[in-house]
Amino acid sequence: MVLSLLGQAGLALENNENARLREQEALKAQQQGMKTSLLRSISHDLRTPLTTIGASADLLTHPGLREDQQRSLAASIRQESLWLRDTVENLLSLTRLDEGALHLNRQEVELEEAAVQALQHTGTRQTDHPVTIDIDPDCTGFLDGRLMVQLFVNLIGNAMAHTPAQTAITVTGRKQGDQVVLEVADDGPGIPKEVQEHLFEPFCRKSSTIADSCRSMGLGLSLVHRIVEAHGGSISYRDNAPGACFCIKLPCTGETDEAIDTECRRRCADDQPAADGV
């Protein structure tokens, strides 16, 4: 009986070990799949703007170009380079958030000002989409100002990329108790029901799921989701009938990092005698 019990225990341990190895292999396969998707996305999506920049630069060297043609080529180079910059910034920020290495520089942020700064980053695209910013002046919070600007850049840019020209985009903000409720809505075609559950997954494309820009790797909405979570908030999507609407709730109360560090040092000083006695 003892030998039988030991044999069964050995089989159970062996099964557990095999299950653990299978989980590790599955995780490695998933990570490898994500790396493959990232490399494929980078090679595909970065090729188009780089080709456009190179071709436009070559044309600028040709003699006989009219002044309006030179301005058009220069504007094309600038627009593509800005897109590349934003894409690289999204990649770096998403990597830092995943690794837990991104430090939130919390300070009192006026969200209306952050939205205005984000609108300036959209460049010439805002001429094709009338954008209305209606955020109450009291919508402030102890947040990371740079990440808030990046959040608005991604949401507004996403709306511009997936709606027809002259589609209105509205950014609103209201204070509700100890939270700030932000909404970015458009009057475009909206998002199909079957792809809404994949909105905040990285590497999502419009062919299979929603993408967050015309040539995007599907990082913008995923990054917005991570930024909101890092601040202790939540983000959701709803149909705007017609159009799309992203709703974000952020805590508007809290302390700056400096105040938190001061409090931590004070507590450590108070606990010092007890620590010496251990």
Side-chain angles (χ1 to χ4, degrees):
M1 182 180 296
V2 171
L3 290 176
S4 177
L5 290 175
L6 290 175
Q8 292 180 5
L11 288 175
L13 292 174
E14 185 178 356
N15 290 335
N16 288 336
E17 180 65 15
N18 291 334
R20 186 181 65 83
L21 293 176
R22 285 195 298 270
E23 289 179 358
Q24 289 181 350
E25 292 298 326
L27 180 59
K28 290 180 181 179
Q30 182 181 6
Q31 292 175 345
Q32 185 61 37
M34 292 187 66
K35 290 180 180 179
T36 302
S37 299
L38 175 60
L39 291 175
R40 186 185 300 115
S41 297
I42 291 177
S43 61
H44 177 271
D45 290 325
L46 301 189
R47 184 186 299 119
T48 300
L50 289 174
T51 301
T52 302
I53 291 174
S56 299
D58 288 339
L59 289 174
L60 282 174
T61 62
H62 289 182
L65 281 179
R66 300 192 308 270
E67 185 177 352
D68 60 332
Q69 293 175 327
Q70 293 177 355
R71 287 197 300 268
S72 177
L73 291 172
S76 176
I77 291 175
R78 182 178 183 275
Q79 183 176 358
E80 299 296 341
S81 63
L82 289 176
W83 184 88
L84 287 172
R85 182 203 64 187
D86 294 339
T87 300
V88 172
E89 183 67 24
N90 283 345
L91 278 170
L92 292 175
S93 297
L94 191 59
T95 301
R96 295 191 189 103
L97 283 171
D98 285 339
E99 295 177 350
L102 184 63
H103 175 70
L104 295 181
N105 182 22
R106 292 179 181 269
Q107 53 186 320
E108 190 171 8
V109 175
E110 295 182 3
L111 292 172
E112 182 181 17
E113 182 179 352
V116 172
Q117 292 182 18
L119 188 59
Q120 295 173 355
H121 281 75
T122 60
T124 57
R125 290 182 297 171
Q126 61 180 290
T127 59
D128 298 329
H129 294 81
V131 180
T132 301
I133 297 178
D134 182 18
I135 300 178
D136 289 345
D138 62 346
C139 284
T140 62
F142 288 93
L143 310 164
D144 189 306
R146 183 180 62 84
L147 290 181
M148 287 298 104
V149 173
Q150 192 168 10
L151 178 146
F152 282 118
V153 167
N154 287 336
L155 287 177
I156 295 175
N158 178 64
M160 291 179 174
H162 291 292
T163 57
Q166 303 307 316
T167 298
I169 299 172
T170 305
V171 182
T172 60
R174 300 290 182 267
K175 191 172 181 179
Q176 295 182 0
D178 60 350
Q179 286 185 326
V180 170
V181 180
L182 303 172
E183 290 188 351
V184 179
D186 62 67
D187 298 331
I191 301 175
K193 294 288 186 182
E194 62 271 14
V195 300
Q196 292 181 9
E197 62 183 25
H198 303 288
L199 282 175
F200 306 111
E201 297 177 3
F203 312 122
C204 292
R205 294 179 171 276
K206 197 171 183 179
S207 58
S208 58
T209 55
I210 194 68
D212 57 322
S213 77
C214 293
R215 297 188 305 269
S216 171
M217 286 169 278
L219 295 176
L221 292 179
S222 177
L223 178 58
V224 168
H225 182 252
R226 305 290 180 85
I227 291 175
V228 172
E229 283 190 336
H231 285 85
S234 63
I235 181 172
S236 60
Y237 168 84
R238 74 166 187 272
D239 291 327
N240 200 32
C245 179
F246 291 91
C247 179
I248 296 172
K249 295 181 180 180
L250 294 170
C252 58
T253 59
E255 296 176 303
T256 63
D257 288 346
E258 182 179 357
I260 295 174
D261 292 340
T262 302
E263 178 65 15
C264 289
R265 287 194 296 269
R266 185 190 65 79
R267 291 181 180 179
C268 289
D270 293 341
D271 295 339
Q272 189 63 36
D276 293 338
V278 176

